[in-house]
Every structure is written in structure tokens, then in C-alpha cells.
Amino acid sequence: MRTSGAAALIESLLEQKVDVVFGYPGGAVLALYDVLLDSPIRHILTRHEQGAAHAADGYARATGKPGVVMATSGPGATNLVTGLTNAYMDSIPIVAITGQVATTMIGKDSFQEADITGITIPITKHNYLVKDARDIPRIVKEAFHIATTGRPGPVLIDLPKDVSAAQIRPSHPKEISLPGYKPTYDGHAMQIQRVAKAIEEASRPLLYVGGGVITSGAHEELRALAELADIPVTMTLMGLGAFPATHELSLGMLGMHGTKAANYSVCECDLLIAVGARFDDRVTGKVEAFAPKARVVHIDIDPAEIGKNFHVDIPVVGDAKRVLKALLPLVKRKSHPEWKALISEWKTRYPLTYKKDGKLRPQMIIEAINELVDGKAIITTEVGQNQMWAAQIIKPIHPRTFISSGGLGTMGFGFPAAIGAQVGCPDKLVIDIAGDGSFQMNIQELATAVGYNLPVKVVLLNNGCLGMVRQWQELFFKRRYSHTIIAKSNPDFVKLAEAYGAHGRMVTEPDEIHDALKWAFDLDGPVVLDFRIEPEENVFPMVPPDGTLNNMLEEGVR
Ligand SMILES: Cc1ncc(C[n+]2csc(CCOP(=O)(O)OP(=O)(O)O)c2C)c(N)n1
């Protein structure tokens, strides 16, 4: 049967079991949108393509399934760029479909033309410009395969207008043939034996866990390893949720705003086992002084990560779950009472603290959220102080419940990501912990939340400033607040929420926190809680730029 390229594309999405697409229409995707109307695929119309890309990203992080986003040519496509970069940096599977001007018009500065395949080369795992509609089924199949296998990432398909209009007899290939693309899943047996031996020999081992553990679904194997060999676990921002934060072996997050116990452990360990983590500079600080006493194991599916930022003694290239599965039977039961006693002393001596003087402080609010949700909600964050307080205080128990922009640090990510997570997990409570700067970067998505009755809760830590930048200005630029104070021009967020048809409430006193949160969580609809927090509250501890992990700034000690 003959059908259009557009119909073949939607059919191919259905073959991939796509049930939801986030997107925004335009001239170059009219044919696609027309077919979409009669298809069982749910389309979520965001109010900006950046919002759609982040929503697809949040959907992917929360569900483990690839997110799909659609946009028109030119400005629609370029508006996806930040979202795709964000997904690329955090290895999130997304398939982006963009419209393109007709093949005969490409390269002529045609109306709404942008060379999106050129633009996205460095921010996608792969991209395609479809020139022949008969290739559509194969390309879609390949795109999903590439996005979701090996180290996941975004893949873009650019579809010219005449290609979606072309009439073809589509044939859907059964197999994928990508001879040059062969991710390594099983770690080398000898290397895995070396890891087991290193664990046996170590007296101060430490697991340093990143988002790769969540991606590969290796959390149970990780926990089994930690418990079997009595190894404390510290996580990156991306790794939060990979190991229960409430477990006695958990040290919480490491790095720039990590706990002192975690960072001191890195400095004092004699074996560092990095699993699905990439030695990001926010983790290592001054790289020469990172884990100075340790032999280093690095387990990662991407061979390009091994040795990229840090010297590794025992590299294992493979999927975290499979490698840990192979490792477990080789590891002997061990216990490290002295090491754990030392860590426990650090934990007791250096808890996360803040001033309790009756003022409304962000940490109290996040503590209250943590208590109320008890590991059962999905928390997304924006970027800045809000993100770091959330990472320090929220105690995720399950993977895929803490969603944050790690690599790119994208303000405006958290709210649309919460929308995507809520679409993917309709029965879960989804909370975006936000700053007043970040929230305004994609605030228009309130319309999306209201339009589809997605009951996401925005907890706005409103300090009237671009807090994290202001913190750096305070600490390193003599308190010269260059263009970081926004209080005067901030909107009335409660009225704004209401104008969109959402609920809003302002909170100014600590004793209202619990009530307001309960009210918001119980409401069946999107809510914005405008918490007026102390404007000059800082995130501590903090490893200063280019500092070492054992030299952290604290409140009052500067
Ligand atoms: C898109 C984007 N622009 C700029 C920055 C730089 N930046 C990092 S944190 C921050 C301030 C964030 O302010 P806000 O959202 O109010 O959160 P707070 O730090 O106050 O919690 C800025 C401007 C960024 N990360 N992303």
C-alpha cells in the first residue's frame, strides 16, 4: 500500500512502541502533525521547543524509555539545541524529529531553514538528514537503537518537507545493520578478576557511583557488591538514587557541594571503584589531588571515558550491570570496621547544618519535603543553589527519582523535565525544586501543565536573586553583585500561577512550611509554592574553584 513519508514516520514510531511525543508544530511538519492527529500517539504541546526537549528528557529519565520530541524547521529546530545538549551531556536517550525545508530548497537560505544536522553534530550521538522517504523506517529503527544502546544519547532525524509528502511503499526492516557500531557490554574477564583482587586487598575501598548505574539498571548489583564487601558508596549528582541514600553505607554526594564525609573518604581511600561515572571536574576539584592514595578502577560502557580526565589503574569497559554481575561471584565477603568507624566519625562531626534562627531557610523546606515524600516522589531540580540544597538534603531511595541537569547545568530544565516525568509516571508525585531565576526560563510551561492537568508541584525557593552566581560573587568577587539581583522585577508568582489556571500560595514563615506542602501535594493540579527564603543563604560545604576535596569552605569560616 502506498503511503506518505509522514505516515511512514508515525508508523515507524508506533513500531518502536512510542506512546507519547512532546513537540510544537510548524510549516515543515504539517504533514507529520496531520497524521499524528489520527494516530494513537499522545502528543504533548509544550509552549516552547526547549520545554519539549527537556520534557522528553525528563520522561526518559523517569521511565527509562527513550523520549521523543518533534519540532519544525529553522527556529523550531534550533530551539531544541539546549535540550539536546543537556541530554547529550547526561547520556539520556532522546529521538528528535525536526522538519526541514524541501530538499530542493536546502542551502538556499530558504524561509525557516537551519542546517540542524550541522548544528547538532557535536550534541547528538548521531543524526540523519532523510533524503529518500523509503529510508524512513530503517532510519527510525536505527535512531532508536543508537539512542538507547551503549552509552545512550540523543539522535536527531531531519525530515525535509517533500520527503514527508512523498508517496512510498514503506518496508520495515526486521534487522539493523550498523557494522561500525558495536558497544561493548561484557567487561574483560581478566580485568574483572583484577577488580575482585583489588577489592580483596583493599582496606579502605570506596564506590564512586554515577548515572551509568541508573542507566544500566545496575542498582541491585551495586547494592549487593557494597554489602558483600562492606564498601561505602558515594554518588555524583547524576548517580543520586542509584544506591539508597538511607543505607548505612551511603555517604551521599561527593564533589563541589558534597558532604565532608564523602570528600574526605575520597581523599583517604586506598581503592576507588568508579562505576558509570566520568570524573567530572565538579566531582574531582583539582584533579591532581583527587583520590591521591587510591588505586583506581573505572567501569564504564564508553571506552572514550577511560583515562579521559583521570588516571585509571584497572579499566573495565562494559555495561555496569553485566560487569557487576560478573564481578559479584568473585568477590569475597569482607568487613572494614576501622574504615567505617573513621567515616562514621566524619559523618557525626560534619553533618550538613544551617542557621536555625526562626528565619525561612531553604534547607528547612527541603527537609520537610524529604520527610513528607519519604523516597516515594520524583524530584526534579532547576540549577543553582536550589539544585545543590536538593542534592544534599533529599534522600532518594530508588533510581530514577532524582532528576537534575548534571553535565550542562541548564537553568530552566527542572520544570519541563517534571512535566515529562509526570506524563511518564502519572501516578507519582512529581516535585520541581526551583530557583526564581531558573523557573522563569521555562515558566511558559505552566500552560502545558494546566492544559494536560499534570499535577506537578513547583517549590520555588525564591531568594530574589540568581543565588548561586550571587554566592560566588559574595565569596570571590567582594560581594559585588553584578546583575544577579532580580527581586524587584520578579513577578507575583502566585498571581502568575493563577493567571495560567494553576494554584499558587506564598509562604514567608517557617511554621507554614508543612501545611503549605501538604496542601500542594494533596491538590489535584499544578501548584506553585512561592517560598520567600533568606536572600543571602549559601550552599556549604563548598570546594572552591580548583580546590581540593579535603579543603572545603564552610559557613562562617572564610
Ligand atoms: C541557561 C543558564 N544560564 C546561566 C546559567 C548560570 N547560572 C548558574 S546558577 C545561576 C543562578 C540560578 O538562579 P536561580 O534559578 O534563582 O537559583 P538559585 O541559585 O537562587 O537557587 C546561573 C545564572 C546557567 N546555569 N544556565
Side-chain angles (χ1 to χ4, degrees):
M1 208 181 71
R2 285 171 82 79
T3 178
S4 69
L9 188 117
I10 301 295
E11 238 172 69
S12 307
L13 293 182
L14 283 168
E15 200 185 67
Q16 295 300 321
K17 303 196 166 46
V18 171
D19 53 5
V20 60
V21 171
F22 301 88
Y24 206 96
V29 283
L30 276 170
L32 278 176
Y33 270 81
D34 191 62
V35 183
L36 205 54
L37 199 58
D38 298 325
S39 95
I41 295 177
R42 184 177 185 201
H43 178 271
I44 304 285
L45 175 73
T46 57
R47 295 306 186 270
H48 190 304
E49 289 87 353
Q50 186 187 356
H54 290 325
D57 182 326
Y59 172 92
R61 292 187 206 225
T63 63
K65 296 189 275 187
V68 183
V69 60
M70 211 181 262
T72 192
S73 66
T78 55
N79 273 348
L80 295 180
V81 167
T82 302
L84 294 176
T85 315
N86 189 75
Y88 185 70
M89 293 283 278
D90 285 348
S91 311
I92 305 301
I94 286 187
V95 173
I97 296 147
T98 46
Q100 182 55 279
V101 299
T103 44
T104 48
M105 302 300 285
I106 290 177
K108 296 187 174 170
D109 292 341
S110 311
F111 178 62
Q112 296 196 327
E113 181 187 1
D115 175 11
I116 199 64
T117 45
I119 291 169
T120 58
I121 286 173
I123 55 159
T124 50
K125 194 171 165 188
H126 193 57
N127 69 23
Y128 295 89
L129 171 62
V130 190
K131 295 192 190 113
D132 186 331
R134 287 170 298 184
D135 294 335
I136 289 173
R138 171 184 60 81
I139 286 176
V140 171
K141 203 177 176 82
E142 285 178 9
F144 276 84
H145 178 71
I146 294 170
T148 55
T149 53
R151 179 180 185 166
V155 175
L156 181 134
I157 303 171
D158 199 23
L159 194 67
K161 220 172 158 176
D162 54 332
V163 177
S164 28
Q167 290 293 313
I168 52 162
R169 276 181 217 287
S171 87
H172 293 264
K174 294 247 167 334
E175 301 293 319
I176 288 167
S177 167
L178 291 166
Y181 177 68
K182 289 218 167 16
T184 306
Y185 290 102
D186 291 310
H188 194 286
M190 283 262 289
Q191 296 297 82
I192 294 175
Q193 273 174 26
R194 286 181 68 199
V195 178
K197 190 151 176 285
I199 293 174
E200 198 178 332
E201 288 165 0
S203 47
R204 293 179 166 197
L206 181 67
L207 276 155
Y208 148 46
V209 168
V213 168
I214 296 175
T215 306
S216 81
H219 48 281
E220 279 166 20
E221 288 76 7
L222 174 82
R223 183 176 176 155
L225 174 65
E227 288 176 352
L228 177 66
D230 200 28
I231 311 178
V233 181
T234 180
M235 284 157 277
T236 67
L237 181 68
M238 288 294 298
L240 294 176
F243 187 74
T246 44
H247 196 288
E248 56 120 13
L249 286 167
S250 172
L251 295 177
M253 188 172 72
L254 81 166
M256 182 173 275
H257 292 293
T259 62
K260 276 198 156 181
N263 284 351
Y264 287 171
S265 303
V266 174
C267 296
E268 294 304 321
C269 69
D270 64 358
L271 177 68
L272 186 75
I273 309 164
V275 194
R278 62 186 180 88
F279 296 87
D280 169 25
D281 53 286
R282 282 280 150 125
V283 161
T284 60
K286 200 184 190 73
V287 79
E288 305 82 53
F290 184 70
K293 302 176 181 169
R295 287 174 82 189
V296 177
V297 171
H298 192 181
I299 300 169
D300 204 287
I301 196 153
D302 185 355
E305 281 300 339
I306 309 259
K308 185 176 91 179
N309 294 342
F310 198 71
H311 164 78
V312 174
D313 299 292
I314 311 176
V316 187
V317 176
D319 171 64
K321 189 178 176 87
R322 290 212 210 170
V323 171
L324 293 182
K325 252 194 174 147
L327 175 64
L328 275 167
L330 311 178
V331 172
K332 301 206 174 93
R333 184 166 289 282
K334 281 196 79 174
S335 65
H336 302 284
E338 283 169 32
W339 177 222
K340 274 175 37 192
L342 181 60
I343 289 176
S344 158
E345 193 189 314
W346 287 328
K347 275 190 182 175
T348 334
R349 204 184 313 162
Y350 310 113
L352 291 165
T353 52
Y354 58 91
K355 259 192 234 118
K356 289 173 188 138
D357 54 1
K359 292 188 176 153
L360 185 59
R361 303 215 177 249
Q363 297 92 335
M364 297 172 180
I365 302 161
I366 303 176
E367 277 174 3
I369 296 175
N370 190 53
E371 258 166 53
L372 277 171
V373 305
D374 194 24
K376 292 186 187 75
I378 296 177
I379 309 284
T380 71
T381 80
E382 299 292 344
V383 167
Q385 294 180 314
N386 61 86
Q387 177 184 36
M388 290 300 127
W389 285 316
Q392 289 179 336
I393 297 166
I394 294 286
K395 303 269 171 276
I397 297 171
H398 308 288
R400 304 193 179 283
T401 59
F402 189 88
I403 292 175
S404 196
S405 169
L408 196 63
T410 311
M411 288 173 72
F413 167 77
F415 183 44
I419 287 177
Q422 188 78 76
V423 169
C425 307
D427 300 330
K428 285 233 163 165
L429 172 61
V430 182
I431 304 163
D432 173 34
I433 297 181
D436 45 332
S438 296
F439 183 46
Q440 290 184 79
M441 286 217 173
N442 275 312
I443 200 162
Q444 75 286 345
E445 300 311 334
L446 271 169
T448 310
V450 170
Y452 296 95
N453 195 29
L454 299 165
V456 293
K457 317 300 174 193
V458 179
V459 172
L460 198 62
L461 304 177
N462 185 352
N463 49 14
C465 60
L466 306 177
M468 187 55 96
V469 181
R470 188 211 54 74
Q471 173 169 342
W472 282 55
Q473 289 171 334
E474 177 186 333
L475 298 178
F476 312 117
F477 289 87
K478 302 194 176 95
R479 236 193 191 118
R480 283 159 53 82
Y481 294 154
S482 176
H483 303 281
T484 45
I485 310 302
I486 56 174
K488 272 201 189 131
S489 52
N490 265 347
D492 179 330
F493 287 103
V494 172
K495 277 194 189 149
L496 190 73
E498 287 170 355
Y500 272 108
H503 305 273
R505 180 161 158 184
M506 189 168 86
V507 182
T508 54
E509 301 301 325
D511 60 8
E512 297 171 62
I513 296 175
H514 196 266
D515 219 45
L517 289 174
K518 282 269 313 152
W519 172 79
F521 297 169
D522 290 344
L523 267 175
D524 178 32
V527 182
V528 178
L529 286 177
D530 180 8
F531 286 97
R532 298 299 176 91
I533 62 165
E534 274 304 289
E536 286 201 324
E537 186 68 43
N538 285 332
V539 186
F540 289 117
M542 175 185 193
V543 176
D546 210 30
T548 59
L549 293 194
N550 56 1
N551 211 343
M552 305 174 78
L553 300 179
E554 285 173 83
E555 178 76 69
V557 188
R558 277 169 231 164

